[in-house]
Amino acid sequence: PIQIEGLGEDLQAEISPDNVDIVLSVPGATIDELDLTKILVLIDLSERGPGTYQLVPEILLENDQISVDAILPSSIEVTISEAD
């Protein structure tokens, strides 16, 4: 699932899709230790106002031996509007 950070006060965001698939390269010795709950997919909405954006999610991994080969889809549509 995608997590949103930096959304301004009194704003709401809709994202589509709300999750992505990630293709990772993991060294053999590391794969047994891989904890999928520690992989974060973030969309940073800091300094963005109302509108529709195509944004590339940021992937935060638990260690530097793991690399991201692909994010599917590669961009996320984010619609920001005034909160009700």
Side-chain angles (χ1 to χ4, degrees):
I2 299 170
Q3 297 180 20
I4 295 173
E5 66 178 20
L7 184 63
E9 199 171 307
D10 297 325
L11 296 175
Q12 61 187 15
E14 289 185 37
I15 59 174
S16 179
D18 58 2
N19 60 51
V20 293
D21 291 323
I22 305 169
V23 179
L24 302 174
S25 289
V26 182
T30 307
I31 197 155
D32 292 334
E33 301 169 11
L34 185 60
D35 182 354
L36 297 178
T37 63
K38 293 185 179 180
I39 298 173
L40 300 177
V41 181
L42 299 176
I43 293 285
D44 186 3
L45 301 179
S46 298
E47 300 182 26
R48 294 194 187 267
T52 299
Y53 305 90
Q54 292 292 325
L55 302 174
V56 175
E58 178 183 1
I59 310 298
L60 301 179
L61 302 170
E62 61 182 280
N63 72 47
D64 58 1
Q65 294 180 352
I66 302 169
S67 62
V68 177
D69 290 339
I71 304 169
L72 304 170
S74 60
S75 69
I76 305 300
E77 182 175 280
V78 179
T79 303
I80 300 174
S81 59
E82 299 287 333
D84 296 331

